[in-house]
DNA sequence: TATTGTTATACTCTATAACTATA
DNA sequence: TATAGTTATAGAGTATAACAATA
C-alpha cells in the first residue's frame, strides 16, 4: 500500500506536524507569559527538578542551549529566587543547581499550565483518541531518536 | 475519563507535537537545501502555484510574512528564473506573480522532496496508522483554526 | 489621502570568542 | 593545559518606518 496516496498522506502528516508544532509552542509560550516565564525558563525549571545538583554545562547540553544563554536564564531565575547556585566544594568551578521552594511551587504552576494547554489543544479529541494520538506520536519520536522530555526546540541551534 | 491520567496525556501530546514539529521543520529544511531553497522559498512557490497572478501583499498575508520579506524572497526567485513579476495594466501598483516553467519544475521537485520527507518521518508507522494519524492531526488543526496548507510557521511573527 | 512595492534603519537574538577562576 | 562559568562583541535575522509610484 506504499502507493501515491500514501505518499501524499505522509507528506500531509509532516506538514501538519510542523504547523501544529509551531502552533502548540506559541500557545504554550502565551500561556506561561502570565507567570513571567519563557519556554526556555520552564525548560530549566523542569530539568533542574529532574536532575537536582546538575551543572550549567549539563543543563546546556540537555536543553540544547549555549552555555552563555544558560547563564542568562539562571541569572534571571536566581534573581527571582526560583533556583540556587551552590558551589561544589570538590570542584569549585562547578555550580550545582537546585530549585528553591518557590521554584518547586512555580514548576507546579508550569505543569498545571501545561495540562490546561494540552487539554485546550486536543479538545477536539475524546480521551481514547488522545491516547491513540500520544501512542502514534511516541512511536515516531522514538524512531526519530528524539529524547523523551528533552528540549522541544527552545534553543535555536541551527548548527 | 477526564481524570489526571488523561490530563497528563494531553500535556504529553502537546509536548510531543512541539518537539516533532520542530524536528519535522528542521528535517524538511535540510532536505530542500540541495535545491538551494529555504522553507520560505518553497512556501512562495507553492502559494503562487495555487493562486497564480496573486499580488505580493496577498502572498505576505497568506504566508504570514512581512511585505519587506516577501520582496527579498521574490527577488531571489525571480533572479533564478523561477517566478515572474507581471505588471497589472489595470492597477500598475500591483505585481502579479506567476511561476515560470522552471518554477513549475522546481515545485515538482519540492513536492517530491516533501513526500520523501514524510515517508522518512513516519516510517515507524504502517499506512493504516499513517492515515489514522493524519485524521487525528487534521481534526486538531481544524478545531484550532489553522488554515489547511497555509504557513507552517516560516514567518516568525511573534507580535 | 490611501495603497503597493521597495529600501533603509533600528533592534533583537544568537553565536563566537575572549576572559577569570579553578583544576 | 584544560574546563566551568562569565562577559563582551560581532553577526544574522527581524521588525519598523521612511519612501516612490500609482491610485
Amino acid at each position: 500500500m506504499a502507493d501515491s496516496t500514501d505518499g501524499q498522506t505522509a507528506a500531509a502528516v509532516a506538514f501538519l506536524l510542523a504547523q501544529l508544532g509551531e502552533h502548540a509552542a506559541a500557545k504554550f509560550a502565551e500561556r506561561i507569559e502570565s507567570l513571567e516565564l519563557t519556554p526556555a525558563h520552564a525548560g530549566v525549571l523542569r530539568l533542574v527538578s529532574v536532575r537536582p545538583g546538575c551543572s550549567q554545562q549539563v543543563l546546556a547540553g540537555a536543553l540544547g542551549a549555549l552555555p552563555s544563554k544558560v547563564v542568562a536564564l539562571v541569572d534571571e531565575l536566581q534573581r527571582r529566587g526560583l533556583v540556587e547556585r551552590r558551589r561544589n566544594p570538590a570542584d569549585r568551578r562547578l555550580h550545582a543547581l537546585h530549585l528553591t521552594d518557590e521554584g518547586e511551587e512555580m514548576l507546579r504552576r508550569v505543569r498545571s499550565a501545561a495540562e490546561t494547554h494540552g487539554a485546550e489543544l486536543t479538545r477536539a479529541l475524546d480521551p481514547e483518541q488522545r491516547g491513540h494520538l500520544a501512542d502514534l506520536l511516541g512511536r515516531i519520536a522514538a524512531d526519530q531518536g528524539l529524547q523523551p522530555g528533552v528540549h522541544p526546540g527552545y534553543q535555536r541551534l541551527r548548527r
Side-chain angles (χ1 to χ4, degrees), chain A residues 8-148:
Chain A
Q8 284 166 24
T9 301
V13 164
F15 190 89
L16 280 165
L17 280 175
Q19 193 181 25
L20 278 169
E22 172 87 9
H23 177 74
K27 284 284 183 185
F28 179 67
E30 222 173 88
R31 194 169 284 277
I32 60 174
E33 237 177 40
S34 59
L35 303 174
E36 296 184 81
L37 294 177
T38 65
H41 289 129
V44 171
L45 291 179
R46 181 167 45 77
L47 272 159
V48 172
S49 166
V50 173
R51 306 174 81 155
C54 74
S55 73
Q56 295 186 185
Q57 289 286 335
V58 167
L59 198 56
L63 282 170
L66 295 168
S68 53
K69 178 74 181 289
V70 171
V71 170
L73 289 169
V74 174
D75 276 354
E76 162 90 7
L77 294 172
Q78 186 177 43
R79 189 185 60 72
R80 290 167 61 182
L82 301 175
V83 304
E84 272 182 6
R85 284 177 166 111
R86 297 190 199 150
R87 281 283 178 194
N88 183 335
D91 184 340
R92 291 177 44 76
R93 292 174 305 181
L94 278 72
H95 280 163
L97 300 175
H98 295 269
L99 292 190
T100 63
D101 289 346
E102 290 89 344
E104 299 277 8
E105 171 57 24
M106 181 62 90
L107 183 57
R108 275 191 288 276
R109 287 194 211 161
V110 171
R111 290 199 166 118
S112 166
E115 290 201 11
T116 309
H117 164 62
E120 162 80 14
L121 188 74
T122 63
R123 67 185 175 191
L125 307 183
D126 62 38
E128 190 189 339
Q129 291 173 316
R130 214 165 358 244
H132 200 158
L133 178 57
D135 173 56
L136 293 170
L137 294 177
R139 281 169 199 265
I140 295 179
D143 171 67
Q144 297 285 311
L146 301 183
Q147 297 295 319

